[in-house]
Amino acid sequence: MKILRKPQTNAAIISIVSIFYALVFILISGHMEFERILNHADTLSSAFWTEWSAFLKQGNMKYIGYTYIVVALAIVLLSFIRKRDYDEYQTGILGKGVMVMGTAMVFLFPIALLLVLSDPLYSIETLMFLVVAHWSTVLIADLIYVVKWVKS
């Protein structure tokens, strides 16, 4: 795990994935084809999924994309403030965090399948929610980690 010793490597990986998600969210936000996919009657009697679907239809994913860019930029700036590498203890924590998030992603696929099978009309909403929930958790955890590292 020597690659994790460099804070700049962590910042670069987080930034690349965040920018990818942000661009996808910004480009699909308010896009006619995306809205057409979401255009269906409320079939679930769930306020959460109905509100999430309305959030997507109104083109609000761009705000999540902009937030991802801001948080990724904060991680990059904080990573370049200190000129030293992570020590073994910090690298171990970061490595465990990467493994936990990878494992969480593996478990999200069966959950997504179950949710899609329960109501196929909400498949796009389900996948978008799981992607947003997963990557938002990764960004928040990494931001907390980098802030603690800068303070030490």
Side-chain angles (χ1 to χ4, degrees):
M1 293 260 193
K2 284 189 174 190
I3 195 166
L4 295 178
R5 290 192 66 100
K6 299 280 186 197
Q8 295 81 9
T9 304
N10 175 41
I13 293 170
I14 291 292
S15 299
I16 289 168
V17 177
S18 295
I19 289 171
F20 170 76
Y21 279 140
L23 288 176
V24 169
F25 293 166
I26 291 167
L27 291 175
I28 67 169
S29 181
H31 193 271
M32 180 184 353
E33 291 296 320
F34 184 69
E35 287 179 7
R36 189 171 54 90
I37 293 172
L38 299 173
N39 190 14
H40 53 77
D42 298 329
T43 56
L44 287 177
S45 59
S46 169
F48 173 77
W49 289 111
T50 302
E51 290 300 317
W52 178 249
S53 183
F55 179 83
L56 294 175
K57 282 184 194 177
Q58 293 168 358
N60 293 325
M61 286 297 288
K62 64 183 167 232
Y63 300 118
I64 295 174
Y66 295 141
T67 303
Y68 281 4
I69 291 172
V70 169
V71 173
L73 186 61
I75 290 171
V76 167
L77 292 174
L78 290 171
S79 295
F80 281 93
I81 285 176
R82 291 190 74 178
K83 302 287 186 198
R84 64 183 175 97
D85 293 344
Y86 296 135
D87 60 21
E88 291 177 23
Y89 176 71
Q90 293 164 329
T91 304
I93 292 172
L94 190 59
K96 288 176 186 169
V98 168
M99 286 188 280
V100 166
M101 288 304 165
T103 304
M105 193 61 170
V106 168
F107 285 112
L108 285 177
F109 282 115
I111 292 170
L113 179 63
L114 180 64
L115 291 171
V116 167
L117 289 175
S118 70
D119 192 351
L121 292 178
Y122 280 84
S123 60
I124 299 298
E125 288 91 337
T126 301
L127 294 175
M128 294 302 286
F129 176 74
L130 292 176
V131 166
V132 168
H134 181 262
W135 195 249
S136 296
T137 305
V138 170
L139 279 178
I140 291 168
D142 201 78
L143 183 62
I144 291 169
Y145 179 77
V146 171
V147 166
K148 283 186 168 188
W149 173 70
V150 168
K151 285 185 173 182
S152 66

PDB file of all heavy atoms in Angstrom, residues 116-149:
ATOM      1  N   VAL A 116     -34.746  -2.791  -7.445  1.00  0.00           N
ATOM      2  CA  VAL A 116     -35.210  -2.735  -8.831  1.00  0.00           C
ATOM      3  C   VAL A 116     -36.274  -3.804  -9.071  1.00  0.00           C
ATOM      4  O   VAL A 116     -37.269  -3.560  -9.753  1.00  0.00           O
ATOM      5  CB  VAL A 116     -34.024  -2.892  -9.810  1.00  0.00           C
ATOM      6  CG1 VAL A 116     -34.503  -3.144 -11.226  1.00  0.00           C
ATOM      7  CG2 VAL A 116     -33.144  -1.648  -9.766  1.00  0.00           C
ATOM      8  N   LEU A 117     -36.080  -4.984  -8.492  1.00  0.00           N
ATOM      9  CA  LEU A 117     -37.078  -6.039  -8.652  1.00  0.00           C
ATOM     10  C   LEU A 117     -38.389  -5.700  -7.946  1.00  0.00           C
ATOM     11  O   LEU A 117     -39.455  -6.127  -8.371  1.00  0.00           O
ATOM     12  CB  LEU A 117     -36.539  -7.372  -8.138  1.00  0.00           C
ATOM     13  CG  LEU A 117     -35.441  -8.004  -8.990  1.00  0.00           C
ATOM     14  CD1 LEU A 117     -34.905  -9.241  -8.315  1.00  0.00           C
ATOM     15  CD2 LEU A 117     -35.946  -8.321 -10.389  1.00  0.00           C
ATOM     16  N   SER A 118     -38.320  -4.926  -6.863  1.00  0.00           N
ATOM     17  CA  SER A 118     -39.548  -4.562  -6.153  1.00  0.00           C
ATOM     18  C   SER A 118     -40.397  -3.601  -6.970  1.00  0.00           C
ATOM     19  O   SER A 118     -41.619  -3.655  -6.908  1.00  0.00           O
ATOM     20  CB  SER A 118     -39.230  -3.975  -4.780  1.00  0.00           C
ATOM     21  OG  SER A 118     -38.634  -2.711  -4.922  1.00  0.00           O
ATOM     22  N   ASP A 119     -39.775  -2.718  -7.736  1.00  0.00           N
ATOM     23  CA  ASP A 119     -40.510  -1.840  -8.644  1.00  0.00           C
ATOM     24  C   ASP A 119     -39.561  -1.392  -9.753  1.00  0.00           C
ATOM     25  O   ASP A 119     -38.787  -0.450  -9.573  1.00  0.00           O
ATOM     26  CB  ASP A 119     -41.076  -0.628  -7.909  1.00  0.00           C
ATOM     27  CG  ASP A 119     -42.069   0.138  -8.762  1.00  0.00           C
ATOM     28  OD1 ASP A 119     -42.206  -0.162  -9.962  1.00  0.00           O
ATOM     29  OD2 ASP A 119     -42.725   1.035  -8.231  1.00  0.00           O
ATOM     30  N   PRO A 120     -39.620  -2.067 -10.917  1.00  0.00           N
ATOM     31  CA  PRO A 120     -38.698  -1.743 -12.022  1.00  0.00           C
ATOM     32  C   PRO A 120     -38.817  -0.316 -12.538  1.00  0.00           C
ATOM     33  O   PRO A 120     -37.877   0.209 -13.117  1.00  0.00           O
ATOM     34  CB  PRO A 120     -39.069  -2.741 -13.124  1.00  0.00           C
ATOM     35  CG  PRO A 120     -39.898  -3.767 -12.477  1.00  0.00           C
ATOM     36  CD  PRO A 120     -40.485  -3.185 -11.239  1.00  0.00           C
ATOM     37  N   LEU A 121     -39.963   0.317 -12.320  1.00  0.00           N
ATOM     38  CA  LEU A 121     -40.120   1.686 -12.792  1.00  0.00           C
ATOM     39  C   LEU A 121     -39.190   2.654 -12.067  1.00  0.00           C
ATOM     40  O   LEU A 121     -38.881   3.720 -12.570  1.00  0.00           O
ATOM     41  CB  LEU A 121     -41.573   2.142 -12.622  1.00  0.00           C
ATOM     42  CG  LEU A 121     -42.590   1.451 -13.529  1.00  0.00           C
ATOM     43  CD1 LEU A 121     -43.987   1.948 -13.221  1.00  0.00           C
ATOM     44  CD2 LEU A 121     -42.255   1.678 -14.989  1.00  0.00           C
ATOM     45  N   TYR A 122     -38.738   2.277 -10.890  1.00  0.00           N
ATOM     46  CA  TYR A 122     -37.853   3.132 -10.113  1.00  0.00           C
ATOM     47  C   TYR A 122     -36.390   2.696 -10.208  1.00  0.00           C
ATOM     48  O   TYR A 122     -35.597   3.023  -9.349  1.00  0.00           O
ATOM     49  CB  TYR A 122     -38.293   3.141  -8.637  1.00  0.00           C
ATOM     50  CG  TYR A 122     -39.445   4.061  -8.366  1.00  0.00           C
ATOM     51  CD1 TYR A 122     -40.747   3.651  -8.574  1.00  0.00           C
ATOM     52  CD2 TYR A 122     -39.221   5.353  -7.918  1.00  0.00           C
ATOM     53  CE1 TYR A 122     -41.806   4.506  -8.334  1.00  0.00           C
ATOM     54  CE2 TYR A 122     -40.273   6.208  -7.674  1.00  0.00           C
ATOM     55  CZ  TYR A 122     -41.567   5.780  -7.887  1.00  0.00           C
ATOM     56  OH  TYR A 122     -42.610   6.635  -7.645  1.00  0.00           O
ATOM     57  N   SER A 123     -36.018   1.985 -11.266  1.00  0.00           N
ATOM     58  CA  SER A 123     -34.649   1.476 -11.366  1.00  0.00           C
ATOM     59  C   SER A 123     -33.619   2.598 -11.489  1.00  0.00           C
ATOM     60  O   SER A 123     -32.575   2.559 -10.845  1.00  0.00           O
ATOM     61  CB  SER A 123     -34.516   0.497 -12.532  1.00  0.00           C
ATOM     62  OG  SER A 123     -34.847   1.133 -13.744  1.00  0.00           O
ATOM     63  N   ILE A 124     -33.901   3.614 -12.283  1.00  0.00           N
ATOM     64  CA  ILE A 124     -32.965   4.729 -12.439  1.00  0.00           C
ATOM     65  C   ILE A 124     -32.840   5.488 -11.124  1.00  0.00           C
ATOM     66  O   ILE A 124     -31.732   5.824 -10.693  1.00  0.00           O
ATOM     67  CB  ILE A 124     -33.422   5.682 -13.563  1.00  0.00           C
ATOM     68  CG1 ILE A 124     -33.489   4.954 -14.897  1.00  0.00           C
ATOM     69  CG2 ILE A 124     -32.516   6.902 -13.641  1.00  0.00           C
ATOM     70  CD1 ILE A 124     -32.166   4.405 -15.379  1.00  0.00           C
ATOM     71  N   GLU A 125     -33.955   5.745 -10.472  1.00  0.00           N
ATOM     72  CA  GLU A 125     -33.929   6.443  -9.190  1.00  0.00           C
ATOM     73  C   GLU A 125     -33.126   5.665  -8.150  1.00  0.00           C
ATOM     74  O   GLU A 125     -32.347   6.243  -7.395  1.00  0.00           O
ATOM     75  CB  GLU A 125     -35.355   6.666  -8.664  1.00  0.00           C
ATOM     76  CG  GLU A 125     -36.129   7.706  -9.425  1.00  0.00           C
ATOM     77  CD  GLU A 125     -36.926   7.120 -10.587  1.00  0.00           C
ATOM     78  OE1 GLU A 125     -36.557   6.031 -11.083  1.00  0.00           O
ATOM     79  OE2 GLU A 125     -37.891   7.754 -10.999  1.00  0.00           O
ATOM     80  N   THR A 126     -33.312   4.348  -8.146  1.00  0.00           N
ATOM     81  CA  THR A 126     -32.597   3.496  -7.190  1.00  0.00           C
ATOM     82  C   THR A 126     -31.098   3.540  -7.432  1.00  0.00           C
ATOM     83  O   THR A 126     -30.315   3.743  -6.502  1.00  0.00           O
ATOM     84  CB  THR A 126     -33.100   2.033  -7.305  1.00  0.00           C
ATOM     85  OG1 THR A 126     -34.495   2.009  -7.044  1.00  0.00           O
ATOM     86  CG2 THR A 126     -32.374   1.134  -6.338  1.00  0.00           C
ATOM     87  N   LEU A 127     -30.699   3.369  -8.679  1.00  0.00           N
ATOM     88  CA  LEU A 127     -29.265   3.384  -8.989  1.00  0.00           C
ATOM     89  C   LEU A 127     -28.639   4.744  -8.710  1.00  0.00           C
ATOM     90  O   LEU A 127     -27.539   4.831  -8.164  1.00  0.00           O
ATOM     91  CB  LEU A 127     -29.039   2.967 -10.440  1.00  0.00           C
ATOM     92  CG  LEU A 127     -29.413   1.524 -10.761  1.00  0.00           C
ATOM     93  CD1 LEU A 127     -29.270   1.249 -12.252  1.00  0.00           C
ATOM     94  CD2 LEU A 127     -28.575   0.560  -9.954  1.00  0.00           C
ATOM     95  N   MET A 128     -29.349   5.806  -9.056  1.00  0.00           N
ATOM     96  CA  MET A 128     -28.817   7.142  -8.800  1.00  0.00           C
ATOM     97  C   MET A 128     -28.677   7.387  -7.302  1.00  0.00           C
ATOM     98  O   MET A 128     -27.693   7.965  -6.853  1.00  0.00           O
ATOM     99  CB  MET A 128     -29.712   8.215  -9.436  1.00  0.00           C
ATOM    100  CG  MET A 128     -29.735   8.192 -10.943  1.00  0.00           C
ATOM    101  SD  MET A 128     -28.115   8.398 -11.687  1.00  0.00           S
ATOM    102  CE  MET A 128     -27.848  10.116 -11.412  1.00  0.00           C
ATOM    103  N   PHE A 129     -29.655   6.934  -6.537  1.00  0.00           N
ATOM    104  CA  PHE A 129     -29.580   7.120  -5.087  1.00  0.00           C
ATOM    105  C   PHE A 129     -28.401   6.349  -4.490  1.00  0.00           C
ATOM    106  O   PHE A 129     -27.667   6.884  -3.644  1.00  0.00           O
ATOM    107  CB  PHE A 129     -30.888   6.685  -4.411  1.00  0.00           C
ATOM    108  CG  PHE A 129     -30.809   6.769  -2.920  1.00  0.00           C
ATOM    109  CD1 PHE A 129     -30.838   8.006  -2.295  1.00  0.00           C
ATOM    110  CD2 PHE A 129     -30.660   5.638  -2.145  1.00  0.00           C
ATOM    111  CE1 PHE A 129     -30.739   8.105  -0.910  1.00  0.00           C
ATOM    112  CE2 PHE A 129     -30.566   5.722  -0.769  1.00  0.00           C
ATOM    113  CZ  PHE A 129     -30.611   6.951  -0.149  1.00  0.00           C
ATOM    114  N   LEU A 130     -28.200   5.116  -4.910  1.00  0.00           N
ATOM    115  CA  LEU A 130     -27.100   4.319  -4.363  1.00  0.00           C
ATOM    116  C   LEU A 130     -25.741   4.907  -4.741  1.00  0.00           C
ATOM    117  O   LEU A 130     -24.819   4.928  -3.919  1.00  0.00           O
ATOM    118  CB  LEU A 130     -27.223   2.863  -4.809  1.00  0.00           C
ATOM    119  CG  LEU A 130     -28.420   2.118  -4.215  1.00  0.00           C
ATOM    120  CD1 LEU A 130     -28.515   0.714  -4.801  1.00  0.00           C
ATOM    121  CD2 LEU A 130     -28.343   2.057  -2.709  1.00  0.00           C
ATOM    122  N   VAL A 131     -25.622   5.409  -5.957  1.00  0.00           N
ATOM    123  CA  VAL A 131     -24.361   6.044  -6.372  1.00  0.00           C
ATOM    124  C   VAL A 131     -24.111   7.299  -5.538  1.00  0.00           C
ATOM    125  O   VAL A 131     -23.001   7.512  -5.038  1.00  0.00           O
ATOM    126  CB  VAL A 131     -24.382   6.379  -7.880  1.00  0.00           C
ATOM    127  CG1 VAL A 131     -23.264   7.323  -8.260  1.00  0.00           C
ATOM    128  CG2 VAL A 131     -24.296   5.109  -8.706  1.00  0.00           C
ATOM    129  N   VAL A 132     -25.143   8.122  -5.387  1.00  0.00           N
ATOM    130  CA  VAL A 132     -25.001   9.362  -4.610  1.00  0.00           C
ATOM    131  C   VAL A 132     -24.675   9.047  -3.151  1.00  0.00           C
ATOM    132  O   VAL A 132     -23.784   9.658  -2.552  1.00  0.00           O
ATOM    133  CB  VAL A 132     -26.271  10.235  -4.727  1.00  0.00           C
ATOM    134  CG1 VAL A 132     -26.270  11.357  -3.713  1.00  0.00           C
ATOM    135  CG2 VAL A 132     -26.385  10.805  -6.129  1.00  0.00           C
ATOM    136  N   ALA A 133     -25.388   8.088  -2.576  1.00  0.00           N
ATOM    137  CA  ALA A 133     -25.151   7.734  -1.173  1.00  0.00           C
ATOM    138  C   ALA A 133     -23.738   7.194  -0.976  1.00  0.00           C
ATOM    139  O   ALA A 133     -23.043   7.584  -0.029  1.00  0.00           O
ATOM    140  CB  ALA A 133     -26.180   6.706  -0.703  1.00  0.00           C
ATOM    141  N   HIS A 134     -23.296   6.329  -1.874  1.00  0.00           N
ATOM    142  CA  HIS A 134     -21.960   5.735  -1.726  1.00  0.00           C
ATOM    143  C   HIS A 134     -20.870   6.783  -1.886  1.00  0.00           C
ATOM    144  O   HIS A 134     -19.989   6.912  -1.029  1.00  0.00           O
ATOM    145  CB  HIS A 134     -21.772   4.606  -2.742  1.00  0.00           C
ATOM    146  CG  HIS A 134     -20.443   3.955  -2.636  1.00  0.00           C
ATOM    147  ND1 HIS A 134     -19.397   4.293  -3.458  1.00  0.00           N
ATOM    148  CD2 HIS A 134     -19.968   3.001  -1.795  1.00  0.00           C
ATOM    149  CE1 HIS A 134     -18.336   3.561  -3.129  1.00  0.00           C
ATOM    150  NE2 HIS A 134     -18.658   2.770  -2.127  1.00  0.00           N
ATOM    151  N   TRP A 135     -20.897   7.539  -2.984  1.00  0.00           N
ATOM    152  CA  TRP A 135     -19.796   8.472  -3.217  1.00  0.00           C
ATOM    153  C   TRP A 135     -19.826   9.644  -2.244  1.00  0.00           C
ATOM    154  O   TRP A 135     -18.773  10.157  -1.850  1.00  0.00           O
ATOM    155  CB  TRP A 135     -19.756   8.963  -4.658  1.00  0.00           C
ATOM    156  CG  TRP A 135     -18.441   9.604  -4.927  1.00  0.00           C
ATOM    157  CD1 TRP A 135     -18.191  10.912  -5.150  1.00  0.00           C
ATOM    158  CD2 TRP A 135     -17.165   8.952  -4.920  1.00  0.00           C
ATOM    159  NE1 TRP A 135     -16.846  11.127  -5.304  1.00  0.00           N
ATOM    160  CE2 TRP A 135     -16.189   9.936  -5.164  1.00  0.00           C
ATOM    161  CE3 TRP A 135     -16.750   7.647  -4.735  1.00  0.00           C
ATOM    162  CZ2 TRP A 135     -14.835   9.641  -5.225  1.00  0.00           C
ATOM    163  CZ3 TRP A 135     -15.399   7.357  -4.794  1.00  0.00           C
ATOM    164  CH2 TRP A 135     -14.451   8.346  -5.033  1.00  0.00           C
ATOM    165  N   SER A 136     -20.988  10.048  -1.798  1.00  0.00           N
ATOM    166  CA  SER A 136     -21.059  11.107  -0.786  1.00  0.00           C
ATOM    167  C   SER A 136     -20.409  10.641   0.509  1.00  0.00           C
ATOM    168  O   SER A 136     -19.686  11.409   1.160  1.00  0.00           O
ATOM    169  CB  SER A 136     -22.509  11.503  -0.524  1.00  0.00           C
ATOM    170  OG  SER A 136     -23.081  12.060  -1.677  1.00  0.00           O
ATOM    171  N   THR A 137     -20.642   9.392   0.877  1.00  0.00           N
ATOM    172  CA  THR A 137     -20.012   8.832   2.077  1.00  0.00           C
ATOM    173  C   THR A 137     -18.496   8.787   1.923  1.00  0.00           C
ATOM    174  O   THR A 137     -17.761   9.125   2.858  1.00  0.00           O
ATOM    175  CB  THR A 137     -20.563   7.417   2.365  1.00  0.00           C
ATOM    176  OG1 THR A 137     -21.979   7.497   2.460  1.00  0.00           O
ATOM    177  CG2 THR A 137     -19.986   6.849   3.632  1.00  0.00           C
ATOM    178  N   VAL A 138     -18.031   8.385   0.750  1.00  0.00           N
ATOM    179  CA  VAL A 138     -16.587   8.350   0.499  1.00  0.00           C
ATOM    180  C   VAL A 138     -15.989   9.752   0.626  1.00  0.00           C
ATOM    181  O   VAL A 138     -14.961   9.941   1.279  1.00  0.00           O
ATOM    182  CB  VAL A 138     -16.284   7.758  -0.902  1.00  0.00           C
ATOM    183  CG1 VAL A 138     -14.829   7.948  -1.279  1.00  0.00           C
ATOM    184  CG2 VAL A 138     -16.657   6.283  -0.958  1.00  0.00           C
ATOM    185  N   LEU A 139     -16.638  10.736   0.018  1.00  0.00           N
ATOM    186  CA  LEU A 139     -16.116  12.106   0.067  1.00  0.00           C
ATOM    187  C   LEU A 139     -16.102  12.667   1.482  1.00  0.00           C
ATOM    188  O   LEU A 139     -15.120  13.293   1.899  1.00  0.00           O
ATOM    189  CB  LEU A 139     -16.943  13.021  -0.842  1.00  0.00           C
ATOM    190  CG  LEU A 139     -16.617  12.985  -2.316  1.00  0.00           C
ATOM    191  CD1 LEU A 139     -17.550  13.900  -3.077  1.00  0.00           C
ATOM    192  CD2 LEU A 139     -15.181  13.362  -2.580  1.00  0.00           C
ATOM    193  N   ILE A 140     -17.169  12.449   2.224  1.00  0.00           N
ATOM    194  CA  ILE A 140     -17.226  12.970   3.595  1.00  0.00           C
ATOM    195  C   ILE A 140     -16.166  12.309   4.462  1.00  0.00           C
ATOM    196  O   ILE A 140     -15.453  12.985   5.218  1.00  0.00           O
ATOM    197  CB  ILE A 140     -18.636  12.771   4.187  1.00  0.00           C
ATOM    198  CG1 ILE A 140     -19.631  13.693   3.471  1.00  0.00           C
ATOM    199  CG2 ILE A 140     -18.654  13.034   5.685  1.00  0.00           C
ATOM    200  CD1 ILE A 140     -21.081  13.381   3.757  1.00  0.00           C
ATOM    201  N   ALA A 141     -16.033  10.993   4.343  1.00  0.00           N
ATOM    202  CA  ALA A 141     -15.025  10.273   5.137  1.00  0.00           C
ATOM    203  C   ALA A 141     -13.621  10.745   4.777  1.00  0.00           C
ATOM    204  O   ALA A 141     -12.777  10.969   5.661  1.00  0.00           O
ATOM    205  CB  ALA A 141     -15.156   8.769   4.923  1.00  0.00           C
ATOM    206  N   ASP A 142     -13.349  10.918   3.492  1.00  0.00           N
ATOM    207  CA  ASP A 142     -12.021  11.358   3.072  1.00  0.00           C
ATOM    208  C   ASP A 142     -11.751  12.791   3.503  1.00  0.00           C
ATOM    209  O   ASP A 142     -10.633  13.115   3.916  1.00  0.00           O
ATOM    210  CB  ASP A 142     -11.866  11.209   1.554  1.00  0.00           C
ATOM    211  CG  ASP A 142     -10.417  11.164   1.149  1.00  0.00           C
ATOM    212  OD1 ASP A 142      -9.781  10.106   1.314  1.00  0.00           O
ATOM    213  OD2 ASP A 142      -9.901  12.202   0.688  1.00  0.00           O
ATOM    214  N   LEU A 143     -12.748  13.648   3.431  1.00  0.00           N
ATOM    215  CA  LEU A 143     -12.570  15.031   3.873  1.00  0.00           C
ATOM    216  C   LEU A 143     -12.260  15.085   5.366  1.00  0.00           C
ATOM    217  O   LEU A 143     -11.350  15.815   5.789  1.00  0.00           O
ATOM    218  CB  LEU A 143     -13.811  15.860   3.547  1.00  0.00           C
ATOM    219  CG  LEU A 143     -13.731  17.338   3.902  1.00  0.00           C
ATOM    220  CD1 LEU A 143     -12.622  18.029   3.117  1.00  0.00           C
ATOM    221  CD2 LEU A 143     -15.067  18.017   3.639  1.00  0.00           C
ATOM    222  N   ILE A 144     -12.982  14.316   6.159  1.00  0.00           N
ATOM    223  CA  ILE A 144     -12.708  14.261   7.601  1.00  0.00           C
ATOM    224  C   ILE A 144     -11.300  13.752   7.854  1.00  0.00           C
ATOM    225  O   ILE A 144     -10.556  14.293   8.679  1.00  0.00           O
ATOM    226  CB  ILE A 144     -13.755  13.386   8.323  1.00  0.00           C
ATOM    227  CG1 ILE A 144     -15.111  14.087   8.299  1.00  0.00           C
ATOM    228  CG2 ILE A 144     -13.337  13.083   9.761  1.00  0.00           C
ATOM    229  CD1 ILE A 144     -16.262  13.211   8.732  1.00  0.00           C
ATOM    230  N   TYR A 145     -10.904  12.725   7.117  1.00  0.00           N
ATOM    231  CA  TYR A 145      -9.571  12.150   7.267  1.00  0.00           C
ATOM    232  C   TYR A 145      -8.489  13.187   6.952  1.00  0.00           C
ATOM    233  O   TYR A 145      -7.528  13.347   7.694  1.00  0.00           O
ATOM    234  CB  TYR A 145      -9.436  10.942   6.343  1.00  0.00           C
ATOM    235  CG  TYR A 145      -8.092  10.273   6.395  1.00  0.00           C
ATOM    236  CD1 TYR A 145      -7.744   9.438   7.448  1.00  0.00           C
ATOM    237  CD2 TYR A 145      -7.164  10.492   5.384  1.00  0.00           C
ATOM    238  CE1 TYR A 145      -6.517   8.826   7.496  1.00  0.00           C
ATOM    239  CE2 TYR A 145      -5.927   9.886   5.436  1.00  0.00           C
ATOM    240  CZ  TYR A 145      -5.609   9.058   6.484  1.00  0.00           C
ATOM    241  OH  TYR A 145      -4.391   8.456   6.534  1.00  0.00           O
ATOM    242  N   VAL A 146      -8.652  13.907   5.860  1.00  0.00           N
ATOM    243  CA  VAL A 146      -7.648  14.892   5.431  1.00  0.00           C
ATOM    244  C   VAL A 146      -7.610  16.076   6.404  1.00  0.00           C
ATOM    245  O   VAL A 146      -6.536  16.569   6.739  1.00  0.00           O
ATOM    246  CB  VAL A 146      -7.929  15.359   3.979  1.00  0.00           C
ATOM    247  CG1 VAL A 146      -7.038  16.526   3.601  1.00  0.00           C
ATOM    248  CG2 VAL A 146      -7.717  14.213   3.008  1.00  0.00           C
ATOM    249  N   VAL A 147      -8.767  16.504   6.900  1.00  0.00           N
ATOM    250  CA  VAL A 147      -8.795  17.611   7.863  1.00  0.00           C
ATOM    251  C   VAL A 147      -8.070  17.213   9.134  1.00  0.00           C
ATOM    252  O   VAL A 147      -7.277  17.985   9.693  1.00  0.00           O
ATOM    253  CB  VAL A 147     -10.246  18.056   8.151  1.00  0.00           C
ATOM    254  CG1 VAL A 147     -10.329  18.940   9.380  1.00  0.00           C
ATOM    255  CG2 VAL A 147     -10.836  18.762   6.948  1.00  0.00           C
ATOM    256  N   LYS A 148      -8.317  15.993   9.621  1.00  0.00           N
ATOM    257  CA  LYS A 148      -7.620  15.512  10.822  1.00  0.00           C
ATOM    258  C   LYS A 148      -6.129  15.407  10.584  1.00  0.00           C
ATOM    259  O   LYS A 148      -5.318  15.701  11.472  1.00  0.00           O
ATOM    260  CB  LYS A 148      -8.178  14.160  11.268  1.00  0.00           C
ATOM    261  CG  LYS A 148      -9.489  14.260  11.963  1.00  0.00           C
ATOM    262  CD  LYS A 148      -9.904  12.903  12.506  1.00  0.00           C
ATOM    263  CE  LYS A 148     -11.066  13.043  13.436  1.00  0.00           C
ATOM    264  NZ  LYS A 148     -11.368  11.798  14.113  1.00  0.00           N
ATOM    265  N   TRP A 149      -5.738  14.989   9.374  1.00  0.00           N
ATOM    266  CA  TRP A 149      -4.314  14.856   9.059  1.00  0.00           C
ATOM    267  C   TRP A 149      -3.648  16.233   9.028  1.00  0.00           C
ATOM    268  O   TRP A 149      -2.531  16.394   9.526  1.00  0.00           O
ATOM    269  CB  TRP A 149      -4.154  14.165   7.707  1.00  0.00           C
ATOM    270  CG  TRP A 149      -2.760  14.118   7.195  1.00  0.00           C
ATOM    271  CD1 TRP A 149      -1.725  13.378   7.697  1.00  0.00           C
ATOM    272  CD2 TRP A 149      -2.230  14.852   6.097  1.00  0.00           C
ATOM    273  NE1 TRP A 149      -0.591  13.611   6.963  1.00  0.00           N
ATOM    274  CE2 TRP A 149      -0.881  14.506   5.977  1.00  0.00           C
ATOM    275  CE3 TRP A 149      -2.783  15.766   5.198  1.00  0.00           C
ATOM    276  CZ2 TRP A 149      -0.067  15.050   4.987  1.00  0.00           C
ATOM    277  CZ3 TRP A 149      -1.964  16.288   4.224  1.00  0.00           C
ATOM    278  CH2 TRP A 149      -0.618  15.926   4.125  1.00  0.00           C
TER     279      TRP A 149
END
